Amino acid sequence: MENHGGNTHNVAVFIDYENIYKALLLECKNALRLGFFEKLRIWCKERNQRIVKIVAYCNFDNSDLYESFHQSKLQEYGVETVHTSNKGKSYSDLQMTIDVLNLMYTNHNIDEFIIVSNDKDMTPLINTIKANKRLVALITATDAYDQMIKNMPDEIYNIKDICS
């Protein structure tokens, strides 16, 4: 939701990093090389949004992510990282949902939640955020996201919108 008045509002960003990583990989792209995290901060600032929390969920044991030090690089950008794997099975969606709901119910100073994912599994979470009178934006990695999710968030953006 555009907010060009003088009022800054607080946002929390939750990233299904493995989902985004794999979607961008299909286009031979990478969030770190695109400068997504620096550009996200600028993009939010231009919209009078203060990022008060930013978390990325991923199985960082994935050999490509592990060997290229993604977890360490994300932490250098001030991104909290949550390793979500147990014997190869990732539980990113579930952990992210629990964390969003916990923050929403315990911190009433968060005006908007930004979910970064291409996954239609986020639909119930988006609907719950809206039902609790909070704004919710979705940032997708590609245009190949599930169209079912298109009308759920208050706003939908593509990583290209932020990185251009």
Side-chain angles (χ1 to χ4, degrees):
M1 191 159 266
E2 297 290 332
N3 181 9
H4 294 294
N7 298 340
T8 299
H9 70 276
N10 294 331
V11 298
V13 182
F14 289 84
I15 305 162
D16 185 351
Y17 192 74
E18 195 167 356
N19 173 274
I20 293 298
Y21 176 79
K22 288 177 180 176
L24 287 173
L25 199 59
L26 294 174
E27 296 182 1
C28 298
K29 293 181 180 163
N30 169 311
L32 295 175
R33 281 195 297 267
L34 287 170
F36 173 69
F37 295 96
E38 302 99 319
K39 292 173 182 173
L40 176 66
R41 290 186 189 285
I42 293 166
W43 182 77
C44 284
K45 191 172 186 173
E46 288 170 350
R47 296 163 43 86
N48 296 321
Q49 296 171 318
R50 179 190 308 116
I51 298 175
V52 296
K53 186 168 189 73
I54 183 168
V55 189
Y57 298 80
C58 186
N59 172 8
F60 290 103
D61 285 343
N62 167 312
S63 60
D64 186 31
L65 292 165
Y66 181 79
E67 290 166 9
S68 54
F69 306 103
H70 275 253
Q71 189 170 18
S72 296
K73 289 189 185 333
L74 289 171
Q75 291 169 350
E76 287 172 17
Y77 288 117
V79 177
E80 184 182 331
T81 59
V82 179
H83 178 71
T84 55
S85 176
N86 186 354
K87 298 180 181 174
K89 174 71 176 137
S90 181
Y91 52 87
S92 293
D93 293 357
L94 185 57
Q95 188 62 57
M96 189 164 107
T97 298
I98 290 168
D99 291 351
V100 167
L101 293 175
N102 277 338
L103 185 62
M104 183 175 65
Y105 293 134
T106 60
N107 187 335
H108 298 285
N109 294 319
I110 307 292
D111 303 301
E112 181 172 359
F113 288 85
I114 298 174
I115 307 297
V116 185
S117 180
N118 268 28
D119 197 340
K120 75 177 177 198
D121 290 350
M122 294 296 142
T123 304
L125 176 61
I126 290 168
N127 287 335
T128 301
I129 294 168
K130 285 174 63 174
N132 280 273
K133 300 179 181 174
R134 308 288 180 94
L135 296 172
V136 60
L138 176 68
I139 298 173
T140 62
T142 65
D143 294 325
Y145 61 88
D146 193 298
Q147 292 299 307
M148 187 179 121
I149 202 169
K150 187 169 68 175
N151 297 316
M152 302 297 173
D154 294 301
E155 302 279 348
I156 189 164
Y157 302 96
N158 187 296
I159 282 180
K160 288 179 234 159
D161 299 330
I162 289 137
C163 291
S164 61

